[in-house]
């Protein structure tokens, strides 16, 4: 700022401009009063000019001896109208040289147009002074000031303090109080509308079913009455919807009429047998499609949901035949085109769940009651159509809205009847084929996003691929269970686990890792069921349950551990030393158990009387070899990675103790002379090697410590 500018003048102007707004409000009210009085004096004048107000006297004269507390005189029409006088500011009179004149000096740096001028400086200004910020008391230090501003000294020698501006309080708006849910707009009306739809549709069902059971009216009057009543409800709903405030009522009436017409067609097809099932499905599809089209025109998800839910929930009360599955599937298919235009997630659920639950009940019922061949194939066909419709809806919605998780979850629910479909068939071939084909299709859908060209064309979202992979994994497990015997089931599960782990390492997919780990865990459980520790320790049990199949399973288990280690490294799961150590310990335990089962199974599979004992002797040697490797690894890494080295040393020592315990407690009592001698010789030599290396490493560390 220019040091020639009077800071007291700037502060005074700021204060005056602050109070100017309030004074102008009073002036405006008085001017309106004056305008009213002038019009009353001249009643024949509608509009006219008002007299100019002389406000020259509002500016105080250049009189330094004037009293600061005296009111400022006003002349002209303003004084005659009784406007209250303005009072002088509290900081005293205006110096003579600071009058309001056109020869005022403009402030540099400020955007001033024509007539923007300010009074000249009156009196000297401190040479190194800096104007304090507005609102800061005089004499207070502030950022950027060289010295504390003690105030401004008037030309007469009297020190005037800097006036402080009134501080404004921040007004914080309170949170609006939300009304209870029953008092919110539209809640009660929607509840009443839904209740009305339910009660009216129940009345339609009673008209179609209960009246027939009681013998009231004839079939034709009942059906005609239901159709006329439904059409009238739709027509009245359209008229109500077109009126102001009639959206809720119109939707409820139209939904009731459309659902009632659908139930009328179901009754004509299944209850009265007037329509062929194919014709009935076509007519029902037209009614459902019309209702969905009306919902799209009215932009109402509620209308579509009420139509489908009302028809699906009450259709089982009209008929329980297998034709019911067709009518529910018709509802599911009729709502498919909506997902190309609207984002209606609840429609996915409403169109899918009724068909899924009804078909699942039919699958279980036929599997328990041994239905006819035709019924089995009808239910199987229904399961296929439901899964295909669910996939179509999920793909259509996912191409337009990648975050539509509801569509993917609905597709997962639609695959449940297909996963239960193997229960419809007896034997092993047909269920295995059904599960295998289902698994192939679902896993292909899951793999599509990883294929560059096909993935870009299909645009399948990630959550849909995850749901499809999970359902495909379940179907693959069913195929494994149905295709192999109990003895070879672990091998099949281990092969599937290796496949998922290999894909996970190639694509760096943690979900594929989870699937591979799940299959590996299931395979390990089935392997332990066949080759538990008791079976490995007792020769009669081992000879009865172990053989080539368990040996092959042990080999696949070792292969799974190797592939899992590679995948973990590819995914960065071994970057942290602690994680790598923990995984290595568990992998080592699993590997040693697999090797033990492998040697014992191979010994039993030879058919020799000493095969079981030879297998255990080799297992003891393998244990000691593994202990030696762990100890040497720990001694080599002791200076670089202390945590891994310590864990390896502890594991090696524990395994050495276990090998010695097995050697003296089990092998010494069971092995024959030559096998026993060989086991003791190998274990002893390994102990000597490890002991020598152990002593040398710690001696070298001790010598380095002393020299340091």
């Amino acid at each position: 700022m220019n040091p020639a500018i009077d800071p007291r003048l700037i502060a005074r102007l700021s204060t005056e401009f602050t109070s100017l707004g309030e004074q102008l409000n009073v002036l405006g009210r008085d001017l309106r009063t004056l305008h009213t009085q002038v019009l009353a004096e001249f009643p024949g004048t509608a509009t006219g000019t008002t007299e100019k107000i002389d406000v020259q006297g509002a500016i105080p004269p250049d009189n330094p001896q004037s009293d600061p507390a005296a009111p400022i005189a006003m002349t002209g029409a303003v004084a005659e109208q009784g406007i209250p006088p303005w009072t002088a500011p509290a900081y005293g009179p205006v110096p003579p040289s600071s009058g309001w004149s056109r020869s005022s000096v403009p402030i540099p740096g400020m955007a001033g147009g024509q007539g923007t001028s300010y009074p000249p400086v009156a009196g000297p200004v401190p040479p190194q002074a800096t104007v304090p910020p507005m609102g800061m008391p005089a004499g207070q230090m502030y950022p950027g000031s060289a010295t504390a501003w003690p105030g401004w000294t008037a030309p007469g020698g009297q020190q005037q303090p800097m006036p402080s501006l009134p501080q404004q309080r921040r007004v914080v708006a309170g949170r609006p109080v939300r009304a209870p849910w029953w008092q919110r707009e539209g809640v009660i009306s929607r509840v009443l509308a839904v209740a009305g739809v339910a009660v009216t549709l129940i009345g339609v069902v009673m008209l179609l079913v209960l009246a027939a059971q009681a013998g009231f009216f004839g079939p034709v009057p009942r059906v005609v009455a239901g159709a006329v009543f439904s059409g009238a409800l739709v027509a009245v709903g359209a008229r109500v919807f077109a009126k102001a405030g009639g959206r809720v009522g119109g939707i409820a009436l139209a939904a009731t009429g459309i659902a009632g017409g659908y139930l009328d067609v179901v009754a004509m097809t299944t209850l009265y047998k007037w329509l062929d099932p194919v014709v009935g499905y076509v007519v029902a599809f037209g009614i459902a499609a019309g209702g969905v089209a009306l919902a799209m025109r009215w932009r109402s998800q509620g209308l579509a949901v009420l139509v489908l839910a009302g028809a699906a929930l009450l259709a089982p009360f009209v008929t329980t035949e297998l034709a019911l599955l067709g009518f529910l599937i018709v509802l599911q298919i009729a709502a498919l085109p909506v997902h190309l235009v609207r984002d209606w997630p609840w429609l996915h659920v409403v169109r899918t769940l009724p068909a899924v639950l009804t078909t699942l009940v039919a699958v279980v019922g036929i599997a328990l009651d041994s239905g006819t061949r035709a019924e089995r194939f009808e239910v199987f066909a229904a399961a296929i159509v439901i899964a295909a419709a669910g996939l179509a809806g999920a793909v259509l919605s996912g191409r337009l809205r990648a975050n539509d998780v509801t569509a993917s979850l609905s597709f997962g629910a639609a695959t449940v009847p297909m996963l239960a479909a193997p229960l419809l068939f007896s034997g092993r071939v047909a269920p295995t084929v059904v599960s295998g084909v289902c698994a192939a299709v679902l896993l292909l859908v899951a793999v599509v996003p990883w294929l560059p060209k096909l993935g870009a064309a299909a645009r399948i979202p990630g959550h849909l691929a995850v749901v499809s992979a999970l359902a495909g994994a379940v179907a693959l497990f069913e195929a494994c269970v149905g295709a192999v015997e109990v003895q070879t089931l672990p091998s099949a599960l281990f092969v599937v686990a290796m496949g998922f782990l290999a894909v996970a390492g190639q694509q760096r997919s943690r979900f594929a890792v989870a699937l591979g780990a799940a299959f590996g865990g299931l395979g390990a459980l089935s392997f332990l069921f066949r080759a538990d520790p008791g079976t490995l320790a007792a020769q009669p049990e081992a000879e009865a349950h172990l053989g080539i199949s368990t040996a092959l399973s042990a080999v696949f288990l070792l292969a799974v551990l190797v592939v899992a280690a590679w995948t973990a490294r590819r995914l960065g799961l071994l970057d942290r030393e602690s994680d790598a150590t923990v995984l290595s310990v568990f992998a080592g335990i699993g590997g040693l158990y697999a090797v033990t089962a492998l040697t014992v199974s191979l010994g039993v599979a030879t058919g020799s009387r000493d095969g079981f004992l030879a297998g255990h002797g080799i297992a003891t040697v393998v244990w000691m070899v593994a202990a030696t490797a762990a100890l040497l690894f720990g001694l080599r890494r002791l200076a670089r990675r202390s945590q891994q080295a310590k864990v390896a040393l502890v594991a090696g020592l524990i395994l050495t103790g276990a090998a010695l315990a097995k050697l003296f407690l089990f092998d010494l009592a069971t092995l024959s002379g030559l096998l026993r001698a060989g086991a003791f010789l190998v274990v002893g030599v390994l102990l000597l090697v490890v002991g020598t290396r152990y002593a040398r490493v710690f001696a070298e560390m001790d010598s380095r410590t002393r020299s340091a």
Side-chain angles (χ1 to χ4, degrees), residues 336 339-340 348 351 386-399 411:
L336 273 178
H339 304 298
L340 291 173
H348 285 293
R351 72 179 181 84
I386 290 172
L391 179 60
V395 171
L396 292 177
S397 181
R399 288 173 60 87
F411 166 62

Side-chain angles (χ1 to χ4, degrees), residues 94-144:
V94 181
S97 60
S98 60
W100 297 76
S101 63
R102 295 186 178 274
S103 62
S104 302
V105 180
I107 297 178
M110 298 188 65
Q114 183 179 0
T116 305
S117 60
Y118 301 93
V121 178
V125 179
Q128 297 181 351
T130 308
V131 178
M134 292 184 180
M136 179 173 288
Q140 181 176 347
M141 293 295 293
Y142 55 91

Side-chain angles (χ1 to χ4, degrees), residues 266-424:
V266 174
M268 286 190 295
T269 305
T270 61
L271 190 62
Y272 303 121
K273 308 295 182 181
W274 293 353
L275 297 177
D276 186 78
V278 177
V279 178
Y281 294 153
V282 173
V283 176
F285 180 82
I287 294 175
V292 173
L294 183 61
M296 294 176 63
R297 182 179 178 183
W298 288 359
R299 299 178 181 272
S300 173
Q301 180 180 195
L303 175 58
V305 168
L306 287 175
V307 169
L308 267 65
L313 292 177
L314 293 178
F317 293 96
V318 178
T319 181
T320 57
E321 299 178 1
L322 287 180
L324 174 64
L325 300 180
F327 284 105
L328 296 180
I329 293 173
V330 165
L331 291 176
Q332 183 187 15
I333 297 175
L336 273 178
V338 179
H339 304 298
L340 291 173
V341 183
R342 305 293 182 199
D343 184 14
W344 290 352
W346 285 107
L347 193 61
H348 285 293
V349 180
V350 174
R351 72 179 181 84
T352 303
L353 286 184
V356 168
L357 295 177
T358 307
T359 307
L360 189 61
V361 171
V363 168
V364 175
I366 291 179
L368 295 177
D369 296 341
S370 299
T372 64
R373 181 182 179 87
E375 292 176 346
R376 292 174 183 271
F377 279 101
E378 288 180 6
V379 176
F380 179 63
I384 294 176
V385 175
I386 290 172
L391 179 60
V395 171
L396 292 177
S397 181
R399 288 173 60 87
L400 301 178
R401 294 169 293 275
N403 58 346
D404 192 358
V405 182
T406 308
S408 300
L409 296 178
S410 299
F411 166 62
T415 60
V416 174
M418 194 63 198
L419 296 177
L423 298 175
L424 296 172

